[in-house]
Amino acid sequence: MSRLRRLALLAAAAALPALGLTLAGQATASAAPNFQVPFKCGVTVTAATFSGHSPAYSVDFQKDGITGMPVLAAASGTVTRVADEGSTSYGKWIEVDHGGGWRTRYAHLSAQEVSVGQSVAGGKQLGKAGATGGVTGPHLHFEERLDGVVQKAKLNGVAVPYYGHTSFTSKNGCGGNPYSAEEVCGDGFSVVDQQALANSSGTAYLLYNASTKANCVTTLKATSLGTASPVAAFLEVEGGTRTTDSGSFTYYAGPVKKTADSTCVKWGGSVGANSYESGFEHCG
């Protein structure tokens, strides 16, 4: 699966080989935030996409009675625009900078409730949906932008289909880690073991894909969610070298994958100072 976790760039990354650590597919500086549906937890909306939409890859969120519904920040960031185009274009709209070149836009609002320069957490109410600007009916126009170019949208790691009308239920502000171990490791993987870390800081997971004989380890945080903090995941096949993904991440470390058909593995992870390391086990 695509690595959607938010990364804080590590100045010490170059030193990892000297410590015997190997990054498992470290994401680039432009890795997208885990954008959420910009409505309250549990609200189901229709994400409408269509050819000829301006700009391309924009999403129109539709729902009966959407006018006046709270619009939430899809991820944490800083408000960079609070503008009003009147009866044309976006009408009342807001832009939020999420770092790494990523920004989101929210348009056709009936109300704006933040100001330029304001820091907002993911799930913070920005305003209310409406029908301002050049529209034929109420909806929320939404864009995910990278370096000024609108990208195909993803919501909680799920790609929005182009083109069509697809229902999404918001997990924005629901609490807890928005990822599951299966989502991190990808299709075909199932959890075979897990270990809760001390102080309720997170959980290390071992997963297995019976078709490919691959193991996968990920550590999901339960504290400081959405904020970069130390987290790690490692996997070692008996007789082989250990691979570790370690750094300051906002939701999880990993996935670390190795094939180990009928061979014992050692696995584990950490969140902050709380760690777990198994013995060699799950031997096939």
Side-chain angles (χ1 to χ4, degrees):
M1 69 173 272
S2 174
R3 297 284 302 275
L4 295 178
R5 62 181 173 170
R6 268 59 49 222
L7 297 175
L9 292 179
L10 300 176
L16 288 175
L19 299 175
L21 304 179
T22 303
L23 287 179
Q26 182 178 348
T28 65
S30 61
N34 184 30
F35 291 124
Q36 299 293 306
V37 176
F39 292 93
K40 286 187 174 181
C41 176
V43 171
T44 298
V45 291
T46 298
T49 59
F50 51 90
S51 179
H53 202 174
S54 180
Y57 303 143
S58 303
V59 177
D60 281 353
F61 288 110
Q62 303 170 345
K63 183 178 178 65
D64 289 342
I66 196 171
T67 298
M69 285 180 55
V71 172
L72 312 184
S76 60
T78 302
V79 178
T80 52
R81 292 289 299 273
V82 178
D84 188 348
E85 311 295 339
S87 61
T88 63
S89 186
Y90 287 158
K92 293 180 179 179
W93 65 284
I94 292 169
E95 180 180 77
V96 178
D97 184 351
H98 306 283
W102 286 96
R103 298 189 178 201
T104 50
R105 289 186 176 183
Y106 313 77
H108 309 313
L109 302 172
S110 61
Q112 298 153 300
E113 300 173 355
V114 291
S115 56
V116 172
Q118 181 177 342
S119 294
V120 295
K124 167 70 176 178
Q125 185 166 327
L126 303 176
K128 295 178 181 178
T132 59
V135 297
T136 57
H139 66 275
L140 176 68
H141 175 99
F142 176 74
E143 301 172 17
E144 296 177 5
R145 290 176 165 252
L146 176 61
D147 296 330
V149 180
V150 181
Q151 307 295 303
K152 288 186 175 181
K154 290 185 178 180
L155 300 169
N156 196 33
V158 178
V160 176
Y162 289 83
Y163 297 97
H165 291 65
T166 308
S167 292
F168 281 84
T169 298
S170 177
K171 296 182 180 180
N172 203 339
C174 293
N177 195 312
Y179 292 97
S180 68
E182 291 86 354
E183 286 177 314
V184 175
C185 288
D187 293 341
F189 282 94
S190 298
V191 174
V192 295
D193 206 346
Q194 64 188 75
Q195 178 64 48
L197 303 178
N199 299 316
S200 301
S201 56
T203 303
Y205 294 89
L206 174 67
L207 297 86
Y208 185 69
N209 187 318
S211 297
T212 64
K213 311 301 182 184
N215 296 267
C216 177
V217 176
T218 181
T219 302
L220 272 60
K221 295 169 55 177
T223 58
S224 301
L225 294 172
T227 301
S229 63
V231 57
F234 76 86
L235 177 61
E236 179 181 343
V237 178
E238 191 167 21
T241 59
R242 177 176 298 193
T243 298
T244 300
D245 186 26
S246 177
S248 290
F249 306 132
T250 54
Y251 290 103
Y252 63 84
V256 182
K257 298 180 180 179
K258 285 180 177 289
T259 301
D261 185 21
S262 301
T263 307
C264 302
V265 298
K266 182 181 289 187
W267 62 281
S270 63
V271 175
N274 306 300
S275 64
Y276 169 74
E277 179 172 324
S278 76
F280 283 110
E281 58 185 14
H282 297 289
C283 302

